[in-house]
Every structure is written in structure tokens, then in C-alpha cells.
CSV table of all heavy atoms in Angstrom, one decimal:
chain,number,residue,atom,x,y,z
A,1,ALA,N,-8.0,-1.9,43.2
A,1,ALA,CA,-7.0,-1.8,42.1
A,1,ALA,C,-7.3,-0.6,41.3
A,1,ALA,O,-8.4,-0.2,41.0
A,1,ALA,CB,-7.1,-3.1,41.3
A,2,THR,N,-6.2,0.0,40.9
A,2,THR,CA,-6.3,1.2,40.1
A,2,THR,C,-6.4,0.8,38.6
A,2,THR,O,-5.7,-0.1,38.2
A,2,THR,CB,-5.1,2.1,40.3
A,2,THR,OG1,-3.9,1.4,40.0
A,2,THR,CG2,-5.1,2.6,41.8
A,3,MET,N,-7.1,1.6,37.8
A,3,MET,CA,-7.3,1.3,36.4
A,3,MET,C,-6.1,1.9,35.7
A,3,MET,O,-5.7,3.0,36.0
A,3,MET,CB,-8.6,1.9,35.9
A,3,MET,CG,-9.8,1.2,36.5
A,3,MET,SD,-11.3,2.0,35.8
A,3,MET,CE,-11.1,1.6,34.0
A,4,THR,N,-5.6,1.2,34.7
A,4,THR,CA,-4.5,1.6,33.9
A,4,THR,C,-5.0,2.1,32.6
A,4,THR,O,-5.9,1.5,32.0
A,4,THR,CB,-3.4,0.6,33.7
A,4,THR,OG1,-4.0,-0.6,33.1
A,4,THR,CG2,-2.8,0.2,35.0
A,5,LYS,N,-4.5,3.1,32.0
A,5,LYS,CA,-4.9,3.6,30.7
A,5,LYS,C,-3.8,3.3,29.7
A,5,LYS,O,-2.7,3.1,30.0
A,5,LYS,CB,-5.1,5.2,30.8
A,5,LYS,CG,-6.1,5.6,31.8
A,5,LYS,CD,-6.3,7.1,31.7
A,5,LYS,CE,-7.3,7.6,32.7
A,5,LYS,NZ,-7.5,9.1,32.7
A,6,ARG,N,-4.3,3.2,28.4
A,6,ARG,CA,-3.4,3.0,27.3
A,6,ARG,C,-2.5,4.2,27.2
A,6,ARG,O,-2.8,5.3,27.4
A,6,ARG,CB,-4.2,2.7,26.0
A,6,ARG,CG,-4.9,1.5,26.0
A,6,ARG,CD,-5.6,1.2,24.6
A,6,ARG,NE,-4.5,1.1,23.6
A,6,ARG,CZ,-4.8,0.9,22.3
A,6,ARG,NH1,-6.1,0.8,21.9
A,6,ARG,NH2,-3.9,0.7,21.4
A,7,ALA,N,-1.2,3.9,26.8
A,7,ALA,CA,-0.3,4.9,26.6
A,7,ALA,C,-0.7,5.8,25.4
A,7,ALA,O,-1.1,5.2,24.3
A,7,ALA,CB,1.1,4.3,26.3
A,8,VAL,N,-0.6,7.0,25.5
A,8,VAL,CA,-0.9,7.9,24.4
A,8,VAL,C,0.4,8.2,23.6
A,8,VAL,O,1.3,8.7,24.0
A,8,VAL,CB,-1.4,9.3,24.9
A,8,VAL,CG1,-1.7,10.2,23.8
A,8,VAL,CG2,-2.6,9.1,25.8
A,9,ILE,N,0.3,7.7,22.3
A,9,ILE,CA,1.5,7.7,21.4
A,9,ILE,C,1.1,8.6,20.3
A,9,ILE,O,0.2,8.3,19.5
A,9,ILE,CB,1.9,6.4,20.9
A,9,ILE,CG1,2.2,5.4,22.1
A,9,ILE,CG2,3.1,6.5,20.0
A,9,ILE,CD1,2.5,4.0,21.7
A,10,ALA,N,1.8,9.7,20.2
A,10,ALA,CA,1.4,10.7,19.1
A,10,ALA,C,1.9,10.3,17.7
A,10,ALA,O,1.4,10.6,16.7
A,10,ALA,CB,2.0,12.1,19.5
A,11,ASP,N,3.0,9.5,17.7
A,11,ASP,CA,3.5,9.0,16.5
A,11,ASP,C,2.6,8.1,15.7
A,11,ASP,O,1.8,7.3,16.3
A,11,ASP,CB,4.9,8.3,16.7
A,11,ASP,CG,5.9,9.2,17.3
A,11,ASP,OD1,5.9,10.4,17.0
A,11,ASP,OD2,6.8,8.7,18.0
A,12,ARG,N,2.6,8.2,14.4
A,12,ARG,CA,1.7,7.3,13.6
A,12,ARG,C,2.2,5.9,13.8
A,12,ARG,O,1.3,5.0,13.7
A,12,ARG,CB,1.8,7.7,12.1
A,12,ARG,CG,0.8,7.0,11.2
A,12,ARG,CD,1.0,7.5,9.8
A,12,ARG,NE,0.0,6.9,8.9
A,12,ARG,CZ,0.0,7.0,7.6
A,12,ARG,NH1,1.0,7.7,7.0
A,12,ARG,NH2,-0.9,6.4,6.9
A,13,THR,N,3.4,5.6,13.9
A,13,THR,CA,4.0,4.3,14.1
A,13,THR,C,5.3,4.4,14.7
A,13,THR,O,6.0,5.4,14.6
A,13,THR,CB,4.0,3.5,12.8
A,13,THR,OG1,4.5,2.2,13.1
A,13,THR,CG2,4.9,4.1,11.8
A,14,LEU,N,5.7,3.3,15.5
A,14,LEU,CA,7.0,3.3,16.0
A,14,LEU,C,7.9,2.3,15.2
A,14,LEU,O,9.1,2.1,15.6
A,14,LEU,CB,7.0,2.7,17.5
A,14,LEU,CG,6.2,3.7,18.4
A,14,LEU,CD1,6.2,3.1,19.8
A,14,LEU,CD2,6.8,5.1,18.5
A,15,ARG,N,7.4,1.8,14.1
A,15,ARG,CA,8.2,1.0,13.2
A,15,ARG,C,9.4,1.8,12.6
A,15,ARG,O,9.2,2.9,12.2
A,15,ARG,CB,7.4,0.3,12.2
A,15,ARG,CG,6.4,-0.7,12.7
A,15,ARG,CD,5.5,-1.3,11.6
A,15,ARG,NE,6.3,-2.0,10.6
A,15,ARG,CZ,5.8,-2.7,9.6
A,15,ARG,NH1,4.5,-2.9,9.6
A,15,ARG,NH2,6.6,-3.3,8.8
A,16,THR,N,10.5,1.2,12.6
A,16,THR,CA,11.7,1.9,12.0
A,16,THR,C,12.1,1.3,10.7
A,16,THR,O,13.0,1.8,10.0
A,16,THR,CB,12.9,1.8,13.0
A,16,THR,OG1,13.2,0.4,13.2
A,16,THR,CG2,12.6,2.5,14.3
A,17,ASP,N,11.4,0.2,10.2
A,17,ASP,CA,11.7,-0.4,8.9
A,17,ASP,C,11.0,0.4,7.8
A,17,ASP,O,10.1,1.2,8.1
A,17,ASP,CB,11.4,-1.8,8.9
A,17,ASP,CG,9.9,-2.0,9.1
A,17,ASP,OD1,9.3,-1.3,10.0
A,17,ASP,OD2,9.3,-2.9,8.5
A,18,ALA,N,11.3,0.0,6.6
A,18,ALA,CA,10.6,0.6,5.4
A,18,ALA,C,9.3,-0.1,5.2
A,18,ALA,O,9.1,-0.8,4.2
A,18,ALA,CB,11.5,0.6,4.2
A,19,TRP,N,8.3,0.2,6.1
A,19,TRP,CA,7.1,-0.6,6.1
A,19,TRP,C,6.2,-0.2,4.8
A,19,TRP,O,5.3,-0.9,4.4
A,19,TRP,CB,6.3,-0.3,7.3
A,19,TRP,CG,6.0,1.2,7.6
A,19,TRP,CD1,6.8,2.0,8.4
A,19,TRP,CD2,5.0,2.0,7.0
A,19,TRP,NE1,6.3,3.3,8.4
A,19,TRP,CE2,5.2,3.3,7.6
A,19,TRP,CE3,3.9,1.8,6.2
A,19,TRP,CZ2,4.3,4.4,7.2
A,19,TRP,CZ3,3.1,2.8,5.8
A,19,TRP,CH2,3.3,4.1,6.4
A,20,TRP,N,6.5,0.9,4.2
A,20,TRP,CA,5.7,1.4,3.1
A,20,TRP,C,6.2,0.8,1.8
A,20,TRP,O,5.4,0.9,0.7
A,20,TRP,CB,5.9,2.9,3.0
A,20,TRP,CG,7.3,3.4,3.1
A,20,TRP,CD1,8.0,3.7,4.2
A,20,TRP,CD2,8.2,3.6,2.0
A,20,TRP,NE1,9.3,4.1,3.9
A,20,TRP,CE2,9.4,4.0,2.5
A,20,TRP,CE3,8.1,3.4,0.6
A,20,TRP,CZ2,10.6,4.2,1.8
A,20,TRP,CZ3,9.2,3.6,-0.2
A,20,TRP,CH2,10.4,4.1,0.4
A,21,LEU,N,7.3,0.1,1.7
A,21,LEU,CA,7.8,-0.4,0.5
A,21,LEU,C,6.9,-1.5,-0.1
A,21,LEU,O,6.6,-1.5,-1.3
A,21,LEU,CB,9.2,-1.0,0.7
A,21,LEU,CG,10.4,0.0,0.5
A,21,LEU,CD1,11.7,-0.7,0.7
A,21,LEU,CD2,10.3,0.7,-0.9
A,22,PRO,N,6.4,-2.5,0.7
A,22,PRO,CA,5.5,-3.5,0.1
A,22,PRO,C,4.2,-2.9,-0.5
A,22,PRO,O,3.7,-3.3,-1.5
A,22,PRO,CB,5.2,-4.4,1.3
A,22,PRO,CG,6.3,-4.2,2.2
A,22,PRO,CD,6.7,-2.8,2.1
A,23,GLN,N,3.7,-1.8,0.2
A,23,GLN,CA,2.5,-1.2,-0.3
A,23,GLN,C,2.8,-0.4,-1.6
A,23,GLN,O,2.0,-0.4,-2.5
A,23,GLN,CB,1.9,-0.2,0.7
A,23,GLN,CG,1.2,-0.9,1.9
A,23,GLN,CD,2.1,-1.6,2.8
A,23,GLN,OE1,3.3,-1.4,2.8
A,23,GLN,NE2,1.5,-2.6,3.5
A,24,LEU,N,3.9,0.2,-1.7
A,24,LEU,CA,4.3,0.9,-2.9
A,24,LEU,C,4.5,-0.1,-4.1
A,24,LEU,O,4.0,0.1,-5.2
A,24,LEU,CB,5.6,1.6,-2.7
A,24,LEU,CG,6.2,2.4,-3.9
A,24,LEU,CD1,5.2,3.4,-4.5
A,24,LEU,CD2,7.5,3.0,-3.6
A,25,ALA,N,5.2,-1.3,-3.8
A,25,ALA,CA,5.3,-2.3,-4.8
A,25,ALA,C,4.0,-2.8,-5.3
A,25,ALA,O,3.8,-3.1,-6.5
A,25,ALA,CB,6.3,-3.4,-4.3
A,26,THR,N,3.1,-3.1,-4.3
A,26,THR,CA,1.8,-3.6,-4.7
A,26,THR,C,1.0,-2.6,-5.6
A,26,THR,O,0.4,-3.0,-6.6
A,26,THR,CB,0.9,-3.8,-3.4
A,26,THR,OG1,1.6,-4.8,-2.6
A,26,THR,CG2,-0.5,-4.3,-3.7
A,27,ALA,N,1.1,-1.3,-5.2
A,27,ALA,CA,0.4,-0.3,-6.0
A,27,ALA,C,0.9,-0.2,-7.4
A,27,ALA,O,0.2,-0.1,-8.4
A,27,ALA,CB,0.5,1.1,-5.3
A,28,LEU,N,2.2,-0.2,-7.5
A,28,LEU,CA,2.9,-0.1,-8.9
A,28,LEU,C,2.5,-1.4,-9.7
A,28,LEU,O,2.2,-1.3,-10.9
A,28,LEU,CB,4.4,0.0,-8.7
A,28,LEU,CG,4.9,1.4,-8.1
A,28,LEU,CD1,6.4,1.4,-8.0
A,28,LEU,CD2,4.4,2.5,-9.0
A,29,GLY,N,2.6,-2.5,-9.1
A,29,GLY,CA,2.2,-3.8,-9.8
A,29,GLY,C,0.8,-3.8,-10.3
A,29,GLY,O,0.5,-4.1,-11.4
A,30,LEU,N,-0.1,-3.4,-9.4
A,30,LEU,CA,-1.5,-3.4,-9.8
A,30,LEU,C,-1.8,-2.3,-10.9
A,30,LEU,O,-2.5,-2.6,-11.8
A,30,LEU,CB,-2.4,-3.2,-8.6
A,30,LEU,CG,-2.4,-4.3,-7.6
A,30,LEU,CD1,-3.3,-3.9,-6.4
A,30,LEU,CD2,-3.0,-5.6,-8.2
A,31,LEU,N,-1.2,-1.1,-10.7
A,31,LEU,CA,-1.4,-0.1,-11.7
A,31,LEU,C,-0.8,-0.5,-13.1
A,31,LEU,O,-1.4,-0.2,-14.1
A,31,LEU,CB,-0.8,1.2,-11.2
A,31,LEU,CG,-1.5,1.9,-10.1
A,31,LEU,CD1,-0.6,3.1,-9.6
A,31,LEU,CD2,-2.9,2.4,-10.5
A,32,LEU,N,0.3,-1.2,-13.1
A,32,LEU,CA,0.9,-1.6,-14.3
A,32,LEU,C,0.0,-2.6,-15.0
A,32,LEU,O,-0.3,-2.5,-16.2
A,32,LEU,CB,2.3,-2.3,-14.0
A,32,LEU,CG,3.0,-2.8,-15.3
A,32,LEU,CD1,3.3,-1.7,-16.2
A,32,LEU,CD2,4.3,-3.5,-14.8
A,33,PHE,N,-0.6,-3.5,-14.3
A,33,PHE,CA,-1.5,-4.5,-14.9
A,33,PHE,C,-2.8,-3.9,-15.3
A,33,PHE,O,-3.3,-4.2,-16.4
A,33,PHE,CB,-1.8,-5.7,-13.9
A,33,PHE,CG,-2.7,-6.7,-14.5
A,33,PHE,CD1,-2.2,-7.7,-15.3
A,33,PHE,CD2,-4.1,-6.7,-14.2
A,33,PHE,CE1,-3.1,-8.6,-15.9
A,33,PHE,CE2,-4.9,-7.6,-14.8
A,33,PHE,CZ,-4.4,-8.6,-15.6
A,34,VAL,N,-3.3,-3.0,-14.5
A,34,VAL,CA,-4.6,-2.3,-14.9
A,34,VAL,C,-4.4,-1.5,-16.2
A,34,VAL,O,-5.2,-1.5,-17.1
A,34,VAL,CB,-5.1,-1.4,-13.8
A,34,VAL,CG1,-6.2,-0.5,-14.2
A,34,VAL,CG2,-5.6,-2.3,-12.6
A,35,GLY,N,-3.3,-0.8,-16.3
A,35,GLY,CA,-3.0,0.0,-17.5
A,35,GLY,C,-2.9,-0.9,-18.7
A,35,GLY,O,-3.5,-0.6,-19.8
A,36,TYR,N,-2.1,-1.9,-18.6
A,36,TYR,CA,-1.9,-2.8,-19.7
A,36,TYR,C,-3.2,-3.5,-20.1
A,36,TYR,O,-3.5,-3.6,-21.3
A,36,TYR,CB,-0.8,-3.9,-19.4
A,36,TYR,CG,-0.7,-4.9,-20.5
A,36,TYR,CD1,0.0,-4.7,-21.7
A,36,TYR,CD2,-1.3,-6.2,-20.3
A,36,TYR,CE1,0.1,-5.6,-22.7
A,36,TYR,CE2,-1.2,-7.1,-21.3
A,36,TYR,CZ,-0.5,-6.9,-22.5
A,36,TYR,OH,-0.5,-7.8,-23.5
A,37,SER,N,-3.9,-4.1,-19.2
A,37,SER,CA,-5.1,-4.9,-19.5
A,37,SER,C,-6.2,-4.0,-20.1
A,37,SER,O,-7.0,-4.4,-20.9
A,37,SER,CB,-5.6,-5.6,-18.3
A,37,SER,OG,-5.9,-4.7,-17.2
A,38,THR,N,-6.3,-2.7,-19.6
A,38,THR,CA,-7.2,-1.8,-20.1
A,38,THR,C,-6.9,-1.5,-21.6
A,38,THR,O,-7.9,-1.5,-22.5
A,38,THR,CB,-7.2,-0.5,-19.3
A,38,THR,OG1,-7.6,-0.7,-18.0
A,38,THR,CG2,-8.3,0.5,-19.9
A,39,TRP,N,-5.7,-1.2,-21.9
A,39,TRP,CA,-5.3,-1.0,-23.3
A,39,TRP,C,-5.7,-2.2,-24.2
A,39,TRP,O,-6.3,-2.1,-25.3
A,39,TRP,CB,-3.8,-0.7,-23.4
A,39,TRP,CG,-3.3,-0.8,-24.8
A,39,TRP,CD1,-3.7,-0.1,-25.9
A,39,TRP,CD2,-2.3,-1.7,-25.3
A,39,TRP,NE1,-3.0,-0.5,-27.0
A,39,TRP,CE2,-2.1,-1.5,-26.6
A,39,TRP,CE3,-1.5,-2.7,-24.6
A,39,TRP,CZ2,-1.2,-2.2,-27.4
A,39,TRP,CZ3,-0.6,-3.4,-25.4
A,39,TRP,CH2,-0.4,-3.1,-26.8
A,40,ARG,N,-5.3,-3.4,-23.7
A,40,ARG,CA,-5.6,-4.6,-24.5
A,40,ARG,C,-7.1,-4.9,-24.6
A,40,ARG,O,-7.5,-5.4,-25.6
A,40,ARG,CB,-4.8,-5.8,-23.9
A,40,ARG,CG,-3.3,-5.7,-24.2
A,40,ARG,CD,-3.0,-5.8,-25.7
A,40,ARG,NE,-3.4,-7.2,-26.2
A,40,ARG,CZ,-4.0,-7.4,-27.4
A,40,ARG,NH1,-4.3,-6.4,-28.2
A,40,ARG,NH2,-4.3,-8.6,-27.7
A,41,ALA,N,-7.8,-4.7,-23.5
A,41,ALA,CA,-9.2,-5.0,-23.5
A,41,ALA,C,-10.0,-4.2,-24.5
A,41,ALA,O,-10.9,-4.7,-25.2
A,41,ALA,CB,-9.8,-4.8,-22.1
A,42,PHE,N,-9.6,-2.9,-24.7
A,42,PHE,CA,-10.3,-2.0,-25.6
A,42,PHE,C,-9.7,-2.0,-27.0
A,42,PHE,O,-10.3,-1.5,-27.9
A,42,PHE,CB,-10.3,-0.6,-25.1
A,42,PHE,CG,-11.3,-0.3,-24.0
A,42,PHE,CD1,-10.9,-0.5,-22.6
A,42,PHE,CD2,-12.6,0.1,-24.3
A,42,PHE,CE1,-11.8,-0.2,-21.6
A,42,PHE,CE2,-13.5,0.3,-23.3
A,42,PHE,CZ,-13.1,0.2,-21.9
A,43,ALA,N,-8.6,-2.7,-27.2
A,43,ALA,CA,-8.0,-2.8,-28.5
A,43,ALA,C,-8.9,-3.5,-29.5
A,43,ALA,O,-9.1,-3.1,-30.6
A,43,ALA,CB,-6.6,-3.4,-28.4
A,44,GLY,N,-9.3,-4.7,-29.1
A,44,GLY,CA,-10.2,-5.5,-30.0
A,44,GLY,C,-9.5,-6.0,-31.2
A,44,GLY,O,-10.2,-6.3,-32.3
A,45,ALA,N,-8.2,-6.2,-31.2
A,45,ALA,CA,-7.5,-6.6,-32.3
A,45,ALA,C,-6.2,-7.4,-31.9
A,45,ALA,O,-5.8,-7.2,-30.7
A,45,ALA,CB,-7.1,-5.5,-33.2
A,46,ASP,N,-5.6,-8.2,-32.8
A,46,ASP,CA,-4.4,-8.9,-32.5
A,46,ASP,C,-4.5,-9.8,-31.3
A,46,ASP,O,-3.6,-9.8,-30.4
A,46,ASP,CB,-3.2,-7.9,-32.3
A,46,ASP,CG,-2.9,-7.1,-33.6
A,46,ASP,OD1,-3.1,-7.7,-34.7
A,46,ASP,OD2,-2.6,-6.0,-33.5
């Protein structure tokens, strides 16, 4: 039997959907909370 090799695909991905949107939303959500909580944590008032 001959050995088969994996196909060499130069593209980073073959997905055609907006796969980056969930990651962008996650980053924005976490950055928003980190920014707000940092401000409030160091405020020491109210």
C-alpha cells in the first residue's frame, strides 16, 4: 500500500464566514470590563 500525505494548504483557513467576529467581540468586552474595573478599583471612593 502506498502512503498518502496530507494535503498542503497554503491558506490560513478555508472558512468563508466571519470567524473573527466572536474573537473581536470577546476582546472588546473584556477590554471594556478591565478598563472600567481598573478605574473603580483604584478610585477608593463612592
Side-chain angles (χ1 to χ4, degrees):
T2 58
M3 296 180 60
T4 58
K5 298 181 179 180
R6 291 185 63 179
V8 179
I9 302 175
D11 297 328
R12 189 179 181 189
T13 181
L14 297 181
R15 293 180 59 171
T16 58
D17 61 320
W19 56 265
W20 47 271
L21 275 179
Q23 283 70 21
L24 177 61
T26 297
L28 292 177
L30 292 177
L31 287 174
L32 179 63
F33 180 81
V34 168
Y36 171 79
S37 60
T38 300
W39 166 60
R40 286 294 295 141
F42 281 92
D46 297 326

